[in-house]
Amino acid sequence: DGCRLFFDVVGSGLEPTDTAMVDRPTLLLLHGGPGFDHSLFRPYFDRFADSHQVIYLDHRGQGRSDQRRDPSGWDLDTWADDVVRFCDALGIEHPAVLGGSFGGFVAMRYAARHPGHPSRLVLASTLARRDTELTARRFQERGGPEAAASYRRIYVDHDLSPEAWAEYMTRNLPLYNNRPSAFGPERAWTNLRVTQHFDAHFADMDLRGDVARIVAPTLVLAGRDDPMAPHEAAAEIAALLPAGTGRLEIIDGAGHGTFRDQPERTEQVLRDFLG
């Protein structure tokens, strides 16, 4: 609809055999944030280019995509419909779609609004609704009362100032995982306006109704040590999926984005599901 979306591709869409050029399935990755970009996934997911054409997409208003100042399209319906518009523009049919964290919010809305579009769905380190007290307790367990207060400042008191976010990114982001990783704003093209807008307008987000309408085979993936998207939230999503649709995997020793702490186990689970 006039908005340019940035994407990057790893792997061929066609695999040559002796007799034909065979279409490879597409794995489309929806990054977290909101306000970050696809760099959160790289280079880890490049490895799946041996079986899929891997496509990294920057959401509208985020990363290198357009509409970085106009908030009129910064909502879940638009981001969800962008997935379909993007696929239509590139001729992609029935992709496997992985949404991580905020990208999982988009993936849930997308799969509910366009039930026949994805071939498979992965909802990773995400939640259908916030349980702020549970999350605050998890941050306190990992970082003490200061980390819990930093979380509550934004998600309970709704202080969306740059100062509050700077404190949160400094104090809480390092607690998302069990070992140092590239997660965070260091190399991402960030747009704090999207972050502030989303948390101002979607503080009471509830996607449980969306989850109940998903028909694609769905893997719900969570880390047991994740403070931001606790594994109980993953279990809730899995329980809401229609019978026979969902599979729940909670990985021990992993935090937010299980591939950062447990790369081999995460790869094993994903290859089994995507294959």
Side-chain angles (χ1 to χ4, degrees), residues 173-209:
L173 279 185
L175 303 175
Y176 277 36
N177 291 95
N178 294 329
R179 63 182 187 180
S181 72
F183 180 66
E186 289 82 2
R187 66 177 184 174
W189 282 25
T190 59
N191 187 358
L192 185 59
R193 294 184 185 89
V194 176
T195 313
Q196 293 168 313
H197 175 86
F198 187 83
D199 287 307
H201 292 82
F202 294 89
D204 297 323
M205 178 195 72
D206 189 337
L207 299 175
R208 287 176 292 177

Side-chain angles (χ1 to χ4, degrees), residues 46-256:
D46 292 8
R47 68 189 64 193
F48 293 96
D50 63 354
S51 59
H52 290 69
Q53 184 172 56
V54 179
I55 299 183
Y56 300 94
L57 176 66
D58 283 357
H59 300 287
R60 174 189 301 247
Q62 303 173 52
R64 292 162 174 81
S65 289
D66 282 353
Q67 205 170 333
R68 289 180 56 86
R69 292 185 176 274
D70 176 10
S72 61
W74 298 348
D75 60 80
L76 286 175
D77 287 351
T78 302
W79 285 314
D81 292 348
D82 276 346
V83 175
V84 176
R85 285 187 282 254
F86 173 76
C87 289
D88 288 347
L90 294 185
I92 297 169
E93 297 182 358
H94 305 300
V97 176
L98 184 152
S101 194
F102 159 77
F105 307 163
V106 177
M108 284 181 257
R109 179 59 55 87
Y110 149 75
R113 286 172 68 87
H114 307 280
H117 198 267
S119 63
R120 295 175 186 273
L121 195 68
V122 180
L123 303 176
S125 300
T126 192
L127 36 81
R129 59 181 176 130
R130 290 190 178 118
D131 183 337
T132 53
E133 286 309 306
L134 174 60
T135 301
R137 288 200 305 272
R138 293 292 160 79
F139 273 119
Q140 178 149 339
E141 291 167 3
R142 293 179 69 85
E146 296 85 0
S150 177
Y151 171 80
R152 286 194 176 98
R153 181 179 178 185
I154 290 175
Y155 292 100
V156 177
D157 301 333
H158 304 298
D159 178 355
L160 304 178
S161 66
E163 294 77 17
W165 278 109
E167 178 189 13
Y168 182 85
M169 290 181 178
T170 301
R171 187 183 301 278
N172 291 53
L173 279 185
L175 303 175
Y176 277 36
N177 291 95
N178 294 329
R179 63 182 187 180
S181 72
F183 180 66
E186 289 82 2
R187 66 177 184 174
W189 282 25
T190 59
N191 187 358
L192 185 59
R193 294 184 185 89
V194 176
T195 313
Q196 293 168 313
H197 175 86
F198 187 83
D199 287 307
H201 292 82
F202 294 89
D204 297 323
M205 178 195 72
D206 189 337
L207 299 175
R208 287 176 292 177
D210 296 81
V211 173
R213 295 196 298 274
I214 294 174
V215 299
T218 302
L219 170 65
V220 185
L221 183 61
R224 193 170 299 279
D225 300 333
D226 187 347
M228 189 57 180
H231 61 84
E232 291 90 345
E236 179 180 58
I237 292 172
L240 289 167
L241 289 164
T245 301
R247 169 182 167 185
L248 175 65
E249 289 282 351
I250 299 174
I251 296 183
D252 291 333
H256 197 71

